[in-house]
Amino acid sequence: MLLRFRVINYRSLRDEQELSFVATEFNEGTARQVEVKPSGRESVLPVIGVYGANASGKSNVLSALGHLGLLVRGGLSLGLQRGRTLGWDPHVLDPETASGPTSYEAEFVAENVKYAYGIAFTDEAVLGEWLHAYPLGRRQVWFERDPADPQRLRFPDNHLGPAQTQSVLADLARPDRPFISLGGEVRHSMLEPVARWLSSLEMSTTRSRTRPLSEAIVSLFEGDQADRVVESLRRADSGIDGAEIVEVEPSEVDMAQGRTRKRREVRLRHRGRAGLTPLAFQLESDGTQAWIRLLRPLLRAMERGTVLVVDELDGSLHPELAAETIRMFHDRTLNQHGAQLLFSSHDVSMLSTVYGRPLLDRDQVWFTEKGDDGATELFPLTDLKPRKGENIERGYLSGRYGAVPGLSPGELARALWPDQPASDEAPAP
């Protein structure tokens, strides 16, 4: 489970920002007790929600965590498409950071061992990298990449095997990729679990796109989970009563791009006067499309105990669907493997009391706020010492915690139509 994530110099996150999943005294029962070798425990949050005004940096926090996973997976194609090898994207509004490295550090527990992994990089090279492990309670330095000589790897405590093994690993290292991804690739017995955990970090979104579903998502509708997926859609959309997979001839666009094979698509069957009618995915509502796109990473996180990172959880989803997603991660019966959810949202209803208790505990709510210099500050609600039972939704909307647009009523209208006098009168019915 993820304990802490730190980021420096990524997009609007200029200065070091830390997101913590470690529970505090403000938690009221959602935290999980995680066993940590040799005989310790960590109290960890299964869910964190990040709120803030538009363009305040919410998505950048989530994107940074997802980018760390991309780096470890060896997903260099993203950077190459942008003309950059490692996808480096620093804070460009400050000349001191515009050419400086980006840094990520994650503390997490994998297979009951606590780790701290960090990486610093620029356009085409990893400048620093380190992995510390705590299998016996005390820190062990498994490897370090020398910032003064990025091609030089050090193994101070000799934990990764004999000198010959370490020398072979060092020779295989490349300056333009993380060393930990190499450890996963060669299935090193100690590095592979770490690489696997970090590689699982990936950002998803519920924002609907009308392009056809990928083959991976189409596969949701076959196999053991197909009935569960269809049943969830039936409950979310009362008009759906089944699904089928069909083969579709390549379109003119497909042919022009060299894709000549048939592709598979899902057709959801809807009840109507004519009985059951299958409809193309593009004809489904935004909400149904969003739920289908969320299902695959959601089920994968719950089955593997990984972190699901969702930008705009409320995007196109009904508030009750978004709330139900949060409840899944809180439910100890369903979430048996310690999966976690990190999401951003504008839906303040998730800050309110639902069914007699808050949907999110006070230490599960974080905010982003952008200063006049264009840099984002990330901070938890607990910094403001909210009282037990405090109406968080009302406090947020009233600006008590910050992280809201600084607009007065009618301000945007006056900016768009400056020559028109403002009226305080309500429109006629």
Side-chain angles (χ1 to χ4, degrees):
M1 297 185 78
L2 180 60
L3 303 178
R4 298 175 184 86
F5 174 65
R6 302 181 188 92
V7 52
I8 303 175
N9 194 24
Y10 177 75
R11 297 183 180 175
S12 66
L13 305 167
R14 182 191 62 194
D15 306 318
E16 179 177 326
Q17 304 297 322
E18 179 178 290
L19 181 75
S20 176
F21 275 85
V22 178
T24 72
E25 68 274 15
F26 291 90
N27 193 269
E28 297 179 48
T30 58
R32 301 287 186 87
Q33 296 300 313
V34 180
E35 299 291 335
V36 182
K37 293 180 180 179
S39 57
R41 284 189 174 188
E42 288 277 5
S43 186
V44 187
L45 303 174
V47 178
I48 280 181
V50 182
Y51 286 79
N54 287 333
S56 64
K58 300 186 301 297
S59 296
N60 291 341
V61 175
L62 278 62
S63 177
L65 187 60
H67 187 223
L68 172 59
L70 180 66
L71 287 172
V72 177
R73 285 195 301 276
L76 305 183
S77 60
L78 174 65
L80 293 173
Q81 290 172 3
R82 299 177 179 174
R84 296 175 294 185
T85 305
L86 295 174
W88 176 61
D89 202 354
H91 183 78
V92 297
L93 302 182
D94 188 325
E96 293 186 6
T97 57
S99 59
T102 293
S103 297
Y104 302 139
E105 184 173 20
E107 295 180 24
F108 57 97
V109 176
E111 299 181 4
N112 300 115
V113 176
K114 181 179 176 180
Y115 297 96
Y117 170 77
I119 186 171
F121 61 95
T122 55
D123 210 352
E124 297 178 349
V126 176
L127 301 183
E129 190 179 4
W130 58 97
L131 176 62
H132 303 161
Y134 301 78
L136 301 177
R138 293 185 178 182
R139 186 183 72 164
Q140 297 177 356
V141 181
W142 282 11
F143 71 81
E144 289 180 337
R145 185 169 246 164
D146 188 348
D149 183 7
Q151 296 192 51
R152 182 187 173 200
L153 279 157
R154 300 181 299 199
F155 308 93
D157 296 340
N158 296 314
H159 290 289
L160 298 186
Q164 183 178 2
T165 300
Q166 294 177 168
S167 178
V168 170
L169 289 171
D171 289 342
L172 292 173
R174 285 171 32 188
D176 62 346
R177 69 175 299 188
F179 177 68
I180 190 65
S181 63
L182 170 66
E185 187 176 294
V186 301
R187 298 191 176 182
H188 186 281
S189 61
M190 299 172 73
L191 297 179
E192 198 274 336
V194 179
R196 183 173 63 247
W197 190 94
L198 290 166
S199 295
S200 70
L201 298 170
E202 186 175 5
M203 187 166 78
S204 304
T205 180
T206 61
R207 286 174 295 196
S208 181
R209 303 177 182 88
T210 56
R211 62 176 175 79
L213 288 171
S214 69
E215 179 65 25
I217 299 181
V218 170
S219 66
L220 278 172
F221 293 87
E222 55 189 8
D224 296 338
Q225 78 284 342
D227 290 342
R228 292 185 292 150
V229 170
V230 171
E231 182 61 23
S232 75
L233 288 166
R234 184 180 290 118
R235 292 171 183 262
D237 182 340
S238 58
I240 293 175
D241 195 10
E244 59 189 51
I245 298 176
V246 299
E247 286 193 340
V248 180
E249 295 289 344
S251 65
E252 292 183 4
V253 174
D254 291 331
M255 297 289 284
Q257 295 177 352
R259 295 192 292 267
T260 58
R261 295 183 179 180
K262 293 181 179 180
R263 54 181 168 80
R264 302 197 307 163
E265 285 192 359
V266 173
R267 299 281 191 266
L268 297 180
R269 294 192 292 266
H270 290 256
R271 293 190 305 273
R273 287 188 176 181
L276 293 178
T277 302
L279 296 181
F281 175 73
Q282 293 90 330
L283 299 179
E284 296 295 341
S285 69
D286 286 349
T288 297
Q289 292 188 33
W291 181 243
I292 292 174
R293 294 190 186 281
L294 180 62
L295 271 175
R296 181 172 179 265
L298 188 155
L299 291 173
R300 185 171 53 189
M302 296 288 277
E303 290 166 0
R304 301 179 182 179
T306 54
V307 183
L308 176 60
V309 183
V310 184
D311 191 24
E312 298 185 12
L313 178 62
D314 54 316
S316 301
L317 282 183
H318 188 278
E320 184 55 32
L321 275 180
E324 186 67 11
T325 301
I326 293 172
R327 294 188 197 106
M328 291 179 192
F329 284 82
H330 281 159
D331 190 322
R332 288 172 168 79
T333 303
L334 296 176
N335 186 6
Q336 298 179 8
H337 304 292
Q340 292 169 284
L341 171 65
L342 172 63
F343 71 90
S344 65
S345 178
H346 288 291
D347 184 2
V348 296
S349 69
M350 290 190 283
L351 300 177
S352 63
T353 298
V354 182
Y355 301 129
R357 65 149 292 148
L359 185 63
L360 295 170
D361 282 338
R362 289 169 289 171
D363 57 355
Q364 294 182 288
V365 180
W366 287 64
F367 300 118
T368 54
E369 196 166 57
K370 186 179 287 186
D372 294 337
D373 57 0
T376 292
E377 179 187 4
L378 172 69
F379 59 96
L381 171 65
T382 55
D383 278 359
L384 304 170
K385 310 298 182 187
R387 301 183 307 277
K388 184 175 182 179
E390 183 171 320
N391 190 321
I392 306 301
E393 178 184 9
R394 182 183 301 170
Y396 176 62
L397 290 175
S398 69
R400 187 184 310 162
Y401 315 128
V404 292
L407 291 172
S408 58
E411 185 175 342
L412 287 181
R414 289 193 294 273
L416 291 169
W417 294 280
D419 297 331
Q420 297 297 320
S423 173
D424 294 331
E425 295 181 5

